[in-house]
Amino acid sequence: MKTLIVYYSRTGNTQAVAELIQTQVGGDLVALETQEKRPTNYRAEVDQNEREQNQSILPTLKTEILDFNQYDRIFIGAPTWNMALPQAVLTFLTTYDFTGKTIVPFNTHGGYGAGQIVAQIQSAVGDAVVLPILSVAGGKESSGQLLAIEGPTKAAVAKEVTNWLQKIG
Ligand SMILES: Cc1cc2nc3c(=O)[nH]c(=O)nc-3n(C[C@H](O)[C@H](O)[C@H](O)COP(=O)(O)O)c2cc1C
C-alpha cells in the first residue's frame, strides 16, 4: 500500500497536521502550491478566494505529483476557506484520476468546522472511497492568530491523529 499525503496550507496549521500524519503512517508528503503567488494580506486573500469560488476559477498549480498512479491511499488536507475548499485543492482534485483509490480527508479551521469540504471532495472523486474526515481547530487569522498547532496544542492534535487513524483503520 503506497501512501501520498497532499496538503494546502497558508499559515502552517494544515501543514502541521500533514506532518503528524506522515510521522504516524509514513508515505510521501507534498505541499500544493499555485503557479501565481497568493496575496499575503489576509483580507486580499479572503476577497480573491471568494471571487474564485463564486466564479468557479481553478488556479493553476505549480505542484506536480510524479507518478500519481503508484498511490493507493491519498490523504488530502485543506483549511476551511469560506466554509469550503480553497479552489487550488479543487484544481488538484480535477487534475488526477482517483478511480480505485482510498481518499482520507483532513482539515483545519478557524472555529466553524469543515463546511462543504467532504461533499466537495466526494463529488470530485466519483466512486473512490472517502474515509471519515479529521477536522481540527487551527488558526484564526481574522483575529491575528496564525499558527496555532504548535507546542502543547500540537501534542494534543498528535493524539487526535492517532485516535482517528485507529478508528478509520
Ligand atoms: C481566505 C480564508 C478564509 C477562511 N474561511 C474560514 C471559514 O469559512 N471558516 C473557518 O472556520 N475558518 C476560516 N478560515 C480560517 C482557516 O481555516 C484556519 O485559520 C486554518 O487553520 C488555516 O490553515 P493553514 O494554517 O493550514 O492555512 C479562513 C482563512 C482564510 C485565509
Side-chain angles (χ1 to χ4, degrees):
M1 160 100 69
K2 194 123 202 256
T3 300
L4 173 69
I5 303 162
V6 175
Y7 67 93
Y8 186 74
S9 188
R10 170 179 161 85
T11 46
N13 294 284
T14 311
Q15 178 180 352
V17 178
E19 289 168 357
L20 289 170
I21 292 170
Q22 192 198 29
T23 303
Q24 300 192 32
V25 305
D28 296 336
L29 186 65
V30 176
L32 294 177
E33 284 181 79
T34 54
Q35 192 88 63
E36 279 186 28
K37 230 177 143 290
R38 304 297 301 186
T40 44
N41 177 270
Y42 170 71
R43 267 312 339 155
E45 180 58 280
V46 167
D47 291 347
Q48 183 170 328
N49 171 61
E50 217 174 305
R51 202 163 49 242
E52 289 171 347
Q53 289 176 336
N54 291 339
Q55 299 174 16
S56 298
I57 293 167
L58 295 177
T60 304
L61 293 178
K62 181 165 80 183
T63 311
E64 226 181 291
I65 314 287
L66 298 173
D67 196 8
F68 183 80
N69 277 334
Q70 70 181 299
Y71 297 106
D72 316 288
R73 179 171 64 171
I74 301 166
F75 288 79
I76 302 174
T80 307
W81 277 15
N82 193 24
M83 296 319 285
L85 287 171
Q87 289 291 109
V89 180
L90 272 183
T91 308
F92 166 72
L93 288 167
T94 54
T95 301
Y96 297 94
D97 181 5
F98 293 87
T99 307
K101 303 195 188 295
T102 300
I103 312 301
V104 197
F106 62 100
N107 161 258
T108 72
H109 59 82
Y112 299 94
Q116 298 305 305
I117 282 178
V118 172
Q120 286 180 292
I121 291 176
Q122 185 69 74
S123 96
V125 301
D127 289 339
V129 173
V130 180
L131 298 183
I133 192 172
L134 173 72
S135 182
V136 298
K140 283 189 170 67
E141 199 176 348
S142 54
S143 353
Q145 191 196 33
L146 304 182
L147 180 61
I149 303 180
E150 57 178 352
T153 303
K154 190 170 179 182
V157 171
K159 283 192 192 127
E160 279 191 65
V161 169
T162 307
N163 293 338
W164 167 66
L165 290 170
Q166 267 165 13
K167 202 180 66 193
I168 65 176

